[in-house]
Amino acid sequence: MTNTSFDLVDIIRTIQKRRRFIMLMTVVAIALGGAFLLVRHTKYKAEANFFVNNPLYGDRSTLFRSQDTRYVDYFGGDDDVDKIMAFANSDTVRDRIIRNCDFDVIYKPLNINDPKDHAKLMNIFSKNFNLKRTEYKDISLTYIDRDPVVAANVANMSVKVLEETYRHYYNAVKTSIYTSINDKVTQLDSAINVLTDSLATMRDQYGIYSLISPARRDVMAGEMKGGGKGYGRAIEQIQNVESVKDQLVTDRAHYISALNEFSATENNAMQFLKVITRALPPTSPTGAGPVIVLAAAAFLGLFFSSVYVLMMAYFRKLNAVVR
């Protein structure tokens, strides 16, 4: 069996012999890189940075601190950041962003109401949109577009939609609780009105106008006048009805207080995202510059042409030995 050697000396000699071809291929690669620079569209990347606030700080139990007084951090944790990432990747949020930014006007002639065009617009947004957390626990949001103003507007709108969606996530729960308590207050109002009418009728019927409810411990019972058959039963009935009515009135007061607290926590003044860097129209394009592109093209042309020359030389030497 014949051993074919192709050592470093052979490699250097082969490259020296074919150096014109290698240089020609390198020049061709540089020319292709220059053509790519002329053909490619200049794109700009706008960036916005924000922190996630702790949603528990705007909760009713923390805001009014009636019982629990433990410390609550202003900044949201990793779980809160994960929720923002999940919202940003949802089709609901992305659809709202492209509609608020008028993508059908920016990327004409696509129609946002057409299912196929809508899918294309969503795909355009997904390709150019990026969201990542940094080592400082803030979130960096970027968007790339040919127009720097459009890139900045989409990035800022994305932050706004994320904040509104995240805030609505918590406020929707508070709103449902508010509605439930408010319905209960309405029921209590009806029950209190019925008991009030019953008490008024019984007092007028038997002439008993003293406060005799056992629930009113701090009120001295007045002197009760009257008598006759059924008078004692009337006192007991009034006492029972008054005790129920007083408890309902007390419950109604607590419910109204809770309604005021929940309505305060739903105030839009409470922001769940804190923007620390607002996106501005970038002044320089994104991506590799002309120098980097041409250098990369030259390196690739030099490398692959050298490899091609060496492989061809090796196979020619191998064929000569076999023959």
Side-chain angles (χ1 to χ4, degrees), residues 245-282:
K245 178 189 173 184
D246 288 346
Q247 185 61 48
L248 294 183
V249 172
T250 302
D251 293 341
R252 181 178 181 274
H254 288 309
Y255 290 157
I256 292 178
S257 177
L259 287 177
N260 292 331
E261 293 180 2
F262 276 109
S263 62
T265 59
E266 295 176 6
N267 196 301
N268 291 334
M270 294 186 180
Q271 297 294 318
F272 282 61
L273 299 182
K274 177 60 179 178
V275 178
I276 57 177
T277 303
R278 182 176 174 82
L280 298 175

Side-chain angles (χ1 to χ4, degrees), residues 10 64 101 103 148 164 181 242 297:
D10 295 327
F64 292 93
C101 294
F103 265 40
E164 292 175 352
I181 296 176
E242 275 191 347

